[in-house]
């Protein structure tokens, strides 16, 4: 099925879920989730997979249920729907999400295990790959992308405080993201066009993550 936009009630569904995150609301509106949110997200990922999943990974829509085992917030449902194409967490990812905030896209290293962090920092510290990565990140930032991720407050062990890329070396994860507020485009073919264009801009970052960070040995 060709993606033609999210359903007209997709944002309303999540607005309602934010106000009433309960099983009763979910059961009363699960058809809206299935038809206006999940099915379009699956169609969007399927169509994008022909370009982005051929040599990178597989597509999936994340489950709508929250893992509340160790969380203070026991709300049972996520207030967004996310989809991703990746080989494994941390080694690059093409991400898309719909929520009351609108449409969000992102890519890079969303979570890194210890072995991935070691490879991430070793590559950034190099005189060849490090400056190239810095230029890549700066280009995304100049283009309007947010550069996010968990960071140390001080220098990482084994690196000098005056290293020219010390701010990048402080990262324990690093990804780029951007968001468009809710508007008519969400329910039109333009939504596909925006995601595809954004993911193309993220391709160098994701390919760098794939080639220099890779999947964690814990996932092997």
């Amino acid at each position: 099925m060709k993606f033609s936009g999210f359903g007209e009630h997709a944002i309303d569904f999540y607005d309602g879920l934010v106000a009433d995150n309960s099983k009763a609301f979910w059961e009363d509106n699960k058809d809206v989730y299935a038809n206006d949110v999940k099915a379009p997200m699956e169609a969007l990922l399927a169509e994008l997979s022909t370009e982005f999943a051929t040599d990178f990974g597989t597509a999936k829509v994340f489950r709508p249920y929250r893992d509340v085992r160790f969380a203070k917030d026991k709300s049972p449902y996520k207030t967004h729907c996310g989809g991703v194409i990746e080989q494994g967490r941390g080694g690059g990812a093409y991400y898309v999400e719909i929520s009351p905030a609108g449409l969000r896209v992102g890519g890079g290293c969303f979570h890194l295990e210890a072995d991935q962090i070691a490879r991430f920092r070793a590559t950034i510290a190099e005189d060849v790959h490090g400056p190239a990565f810095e230029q890549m990140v700066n280009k995304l930032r100049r283009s309007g992308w947010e550069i996010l991720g968990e960071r140390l407050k001080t220098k990482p062990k084994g690196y000098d405080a005056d290293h020219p890329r010390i701010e990048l070396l402080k990262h324990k994860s690093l990804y780029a993201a951007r968001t468009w507020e809710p508007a008519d485009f969400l329910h039109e073919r333009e939504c596909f066009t925006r995601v595809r264009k954004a993911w193309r801009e993220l391709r160098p970052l994701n390919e760098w993550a794939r080639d220099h960070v890779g999947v964690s040995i814990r996932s092997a």
Side-chain angles (χ1 to χ4, degrees):
M1 181 178 69
K2 188 174 182 179
F3 176 80
S4 58
F6 289 97
E8 62 176 318
H9 301 296
I11 299 298
D12 290 339
F13 168 78
Y14 280 114
D15 283 337
L17 191 60
V18 169
D20 181 12
N21 199 309
S22 67
K23 184 176 181 181
F25 177 89
W26 184 268
E27 290 298 323
D28 287 344
N29 295 275
K30 62 183 180 182
D31 288 345
V32 178
Y33 168 76
N35 297 324
D36 286 13
V37 179
K38 184 180 179 182
M41 181 65 82
E42 290 174 338
L44 176 62
L45 289 177
E47 192 167 352
L48 289 166
S49 290
T50 61
E51 178 175 344
F52 296 95
T54 55
D55 61 347
F56 197 81
T58 56
K60 72 173 181 179
V61 178
F62 288 106
R63 289 163 49 87
Y65 312 106
R66 296 182 63 246
D67 184 353
V68 299
R69 290 173 298 173
F70 308 108
K72 292 181 179 180
D73 179 4
K74 298 300 182 182
S75 302
Y77 304 103
K78 298 175 183 176
T79 54
H80 64 271
C81 178
V84 70
I85 295 175
E86 63 179 354
Q87 291 179 319
R89 189 59 50 86
Y94 294 102
Y95 180 76
V96 60
E97 172 187 299
I98 184 172
S99 75
L103 182 73
R104 186 171 178 82
V105 292
C109 304
F110 286 91
H111 175 81
L112 294 174
E113 299 290 350
D115 62 304
Q116 293 174 305
I117 293 175
R119 294 193 293 272
F120 174 83
R121 288 180 175 150
T123 306
I124 290 173
E126 290 180 8
D127 290 336
V128 175
H129 297 297
F133 180 76
E134 184 176 38
Q135 292 171 11
M136 185 191 312
V137 170
N138 288 339
K139 181 179 179 180
L140 286 169
R141 187 180 283 113
R142 289 194 301 270
S143 299
W145 290 87
E146 290 183 273
I147 303 301
L148 305 167
E150 185 180 0
R151 284 166 45 94
L152 296 173
K153 293 182 179 179
T154 59
K155 71 178 186 69
K157 184 178 180 180
Y159 294 94
D160 294 333
D162 61 353
H163 191 285
R165 290 175 294 283
I166 191 62
E167 294 305 315
L168 288 174
L169 289 167
K170 289 179 182 178
H171 276 269
K172 298 179 67 177
S173 62
L174 187 150
Y175 58 93
R178 72 189 315 161
T179 303
W180 292 278
E181 295 181 354
D184 289 344
F185 81 90
L186 278 172
H187 314 294
E188 302 168 353
R189 181 67 179 173
E190 184 187 343
C191 183
F192 169 85
T193 303
R194 291 195 188 194
V195 177
R196 182 178 61 184
K197 181 177 183 294
W199 281 10
R200 285 174 176 173
E201 292 178 18
L202 291 170
R203 189 188 297 276
L205 177 63
N206 279 326
E207 290 183 347
W208 182 93
R210 178 195 63 194
D211 296 341
H212 298 291
V213 178
V215 178
S216 173
I217 58 174
R218 293 182 58 179
S219 302

